[in-house]
Each structure stands twice: as C-alpha cells, then as structure tokens.
Amino acid sequence: MHQEHLEPGERYDAVARTTRALLAVPKGEVEELARRCAVRGVAGVRGLVRLRDLMMPVWAEFAYELVFAERCPREARDLIAANADDVVTSLKCTGLRHMGRRDRLTRYLLPRLDRVRVPLPGGLTSLEQAYYLQGAFFNTAVVQLSEAMAHLLLVLAQHPGEQERARTSDDRHFDRVINETLRLYPLFGIAHRITSGDIALDEHTTIPAGSVLCFNYPEFHRTGFADPGRFDPARFDPGRCDRPAKELNHVPFGVAANRPCPAWRLAPIAMRAVAREVLGRYVLDSSVTHTRSLPSRGPCLLTPRGAAHRPRLALAYLRVRDRWEDVWRGLVQLVLGTYMVWDAHRKRLCERHFAEAASNPPDASDAEDRYAHPGHQPGARRSL
Ligand code: HEM
C-alpha cells in the first residue's frame, strides 16, 4: 500500500491529501528540524564513512518528527533506518530484503496511529494506514533523502572548489548545487505510466489506451545542456541560462502535471540545512567512482575542520577498495538481479494486475484521468 501504487480515485485523493498536509511545514521549521537531526547524526563522526549510511538515521529521525511531532526514540530510528536500508539495498540488487524488519516496523506504527499530527486518510483500515505511513514517510522519504544527500556530499567531496564555494555561499547558489546534483544524478532512472485513454499524437498516430509509456529521467536531463556530464552548478545561474529555468530539461521531482513528488518544496530546503551542517564541520574527500545508482553507498573521508587535512593515503586506499568491491558487487548484482527478474516473471505481476483491473473497472469519477498507475505491484513504478 503506497501512494504511488494507488490508482486515481477517492483513496488516492485521500492519501495524497494526507501526504501534502504532513509535508506542509513552514520553511524555517523544516530547516530547524533538519539541522537538529543532522547535529545528532553527524556529531563526533570522523574518518572513513559511507555517506548513505551516515544519512539514513538523520532522515529517519527527520521523518519521524515530521509525522509524530515528537522526538524520535532510538529504537524507532534504528528500525526505520534498517528497513529503509534494506529496501534500497535490495532494489539495487546488492543484498537481500529482510521482511521481518518490515513487519517489525509495521507493528511499531500500528499502536501509534492516533498520535500522527494530522488525520490519517479515512476509508483505510488501520493496517493500511500503517502501510501508507511506512511506505511514504519511513521508506520513500528516508531512502530518497539519503540517496540524494549521498550524491550531493559525494559530488562536493570530488570537487573541492565547489565544496568551498557551497560552504560559504548564499542559499541561491546552494540551490543551484542541489539542482545540478539532481540533474546529473536523478534518483529515478526509467519511470512509467499506463495510458487510460487513447492519446492522439497527430492525425496518423494514436497511442492506444493500456500502453506503457516509459520516461528516461537521466537521458532527459542530459539533453539540452552543454557538456552534460560535467558537474557545473553555475549552469543554473540566471545570467548563464539562455532559457527560463522552467524550460530547462530538469525535472528531478517529476512532471508537475502528472504525479510529481509531493516533497518537491520541502526536500531541497531540508537537504540544504543538513548539507550546511556537514560542510560546516568537515572537509570532505573521496576518490571512488560516482555513478547514479551508487551501489557503494558513497565512501568518503570526513576530516573535522581545523584538524590536519592529509587525505592522500586514505584516498589511495579508498580507490583500491572501491575497485575491488566493484568486482564482487557486480557478481552479487548479476545473481540477485537475475533472480528478481525470474521471480517477477514467475509471479506474472502485470498479467494478474490487468486481470484484476478488468474485473474491477474504476468508477465513473476516474474516467477523466488520462493516466493510471499499475496498482499493487511492489516497486513497479520505481526504477533504479
Ligand atoms: C530529494 C528527494 C526526492 C526526490 C529527488 C524525489 C523524486 C521523486 C520523483 C521524480 C517522483 C515521481 C516519479 C515518477 O515519475 O513516477 C516522486 C514521487 C513521489 N515522491 Fe518523491 N522524491 C524525493 C523525496 C521525497 C520525500 C521526502 C517524500 C515524502 C513523503 C516523497 C514522496 C513521494 C511520493 C509519495 C511520490 C508519489 C507521488 C504520486 O504518485 O502521487 N519523495 N518523487
């Protein structure tokens, strides 16, 4: 049960309304909450870390407080972070999913539903409400923010000039750094929609209802930019853009007209606050390969500001370890990826979904929706 897996209709509307209500927090409060969580999460850390692992507990606490408006107990933080890590690790086929953890988190949430700071969607059972919270806030929010922060901090670790400029810059420049990071490393690979009506492209071509349309985020983000593989936040300077920002091929939070990310406003504010806290405390260095899927979880050296900064030996070690890990990780991904495809094929998820949809057609109020989502196929809309 996840917002993105719901077909258009009353249930989707109720769930989306609740998500918006939970995310509608004033900017100053988002910054303060994110900053507090970052201080607790990174204080005292130094040396070699994996950025995604460093960020998971920070965003687990952030999501908990966003939902319950109270400080996150350690037990909940560890459960949320471990479950989110499981989700993203298994999506990247670098490890197995532990369903017991997922169930423990659901059982943790169930008796606390009446403490959520906005009313939960009516018409859902308690279990569905717990699954909804778990899916949107303790899974998606934690995973996406941790991945995005790992990309942001890693790219700055590998561009020392940009790191220093970001640390001392105003918010407008920092937003360009985040924009450029999410342009180069969008969190989504291929997203898809299933057409729920015919779409006429021109007088000769019509895309029939029921077609699967794929959208390639990374490819879209590469077109229309000079030297698209280069990390260059200044490309978003109003003085350097030949087009208004709205016309650039840049949709890291999706397309406004069709189920964009409801956290498009909150996420960059929170990321900026956490990044400022990290950059204010540490100098970051890294020599690992930085790819969009980031299976390495972003190995990085953190040197406290004011301490001697001699990263050469650690960077040489990181480089060798990263190349070596790439070898066995590739093998694990091959085995688990093959199993995942085989298993999905065996369960015939699409076929079953469409058979169920045909026997339960959407009600008349849904008929206007041009696009539908592929229902309860776990992970069907998310692609990495
Ligand atoms: C930097 C962080 C994030 C990025 C880059 C991001 C990106 C995206 C994108 C691109 C989509 C649309 C995917 C598609 O085309 O199918 C999406 C959907 C979604 N995101 Fe995010 N996201 C982020 C953080 C969050 C957070 C913090 C939440 C917390 C609730 C969240 C909740 C959702 C939900 C519920 C959807 C599905 C919307 C729907 O189907 O109505 N995301 N996100």
Side-chain angles (χ1 to χ4, degrees), residues 9-190:
E10 274 175 27
R11 272 161 80 89
Y12 172 79
D13 292 342
V15 162
R17 233 185 346 263
T18 308
T19 306
R20 280 196 302 273
L22 282 167
L23 293 170
V25 179
K27 178 173 172 242
E29 285 177 33
V30 176
E31 286 172 337
E32 180 47 28
L33 171 58
R35 201 193 59 76
R36 260 190 288 122
C37 297
V39 170
R40 287 200 291 270
V42 304
V45 177
R46 64 186 297 163
L48 289 178
V49 297
R50 304 223 183 216
L51 293 167
R52 198 182 86 196
D53 300 350
L54 180 71
M55 285 296 123
M56 284 260 174
V58 172
W59 295 116
E61 290 200 359
F62 178 85
Y64 186 96
E65 216 167 313
L66 207 56
V67 168
F68 291 110
E70 62 185 54
R71 181 144 170 203
C72 180
R74 200 191 170 98
E75 171 200 13
R77 184 198 70 187
D78 294 348
L79 201 50
I80 295 166
N83 181 61
D85 183 53
D86 249 16
V87 170
V88 65
T89 300
S90 58
L91 268 174
K92 291 174 196 296
C93 297
T94 47
L96 292 172
R97 184 94 195 259
H98 300 97
M99 300 311 270
R101 262 183 213 156
R102 190 185 75 163
D103 294 343
R104 275 207 298 285
L105 181 53
T106 312
R107 283 201 303 275
Y108 183 87
L109 293 174
L110 268 170
R112 291 169 174 80
L113 293 177
D114 57 350
R115 283 158 51 185
V116 174
R117 66 178 177 84
V118 305
L120 286 170
L124 264 58
T125 64
S126 299
L127 188 61
E128 285 173 332
Q129 291 180 337
Y131 282 153
Y132 152 68
L133 280 182
Q134 187 160 338
F137 285 89
F138 301 122
N139 171 354
T140 294
V142 178
V143 166
Q144 300 293 58
L145 288 167
S146 303
E147 283 275 296
M149 280 300 297
H151 282 303
L152 175 62
L153 296 177
L154 187 59
V155 83
L156 291 176
Q158 301 196 326
H159 295 80
E162 293 293 349
Q163 184 181 153
E164 189 50 22
R165 180 155 184 219
R167 185 175 74 87
T168 52
S169 71
D170 61 13
D171 285 355
R172 269 181 312 185
H173 179 74
F174 215 112
D175 287 344
R176 286 174 206 139
V177 174
I178 294 177
N179 280 343
E180 176 65 345
T181 303
L182 294 176
R183 181 193 71 80
L184 206 48
Y185 306 104
L187 300 188
F188 280 68
I190 312 278

Side-chain angles (χ1 to χ4, degrees), residues 2-5 12 16 19 23 62 136-137 140-142 144-145 148 182 187-188 191-193 215 217 251-255 258-263 266-268 271 373 381-382:
H2 193 305
Q3 176 168 334
E4 68 189 83
H5 298 144
Y12 172 79
T19 306
L23 293 170
F62 178 85
F137 285 89
T140 294
V142 178
Q144 300 293 58
L145 288 167
L182 294 176
L187 300 188
F188 280 68
H192 75 269
R193 300 290 187 273
F215 180 70
Y217 277 94
V251 287
F253 293 97
V255 181
N258 193 301
R259 297 226 191 180
C261 179
L266 172 139
M271 285 173 64
H373 290 282
R381 276 187 65 224
R382 291 263 143 138

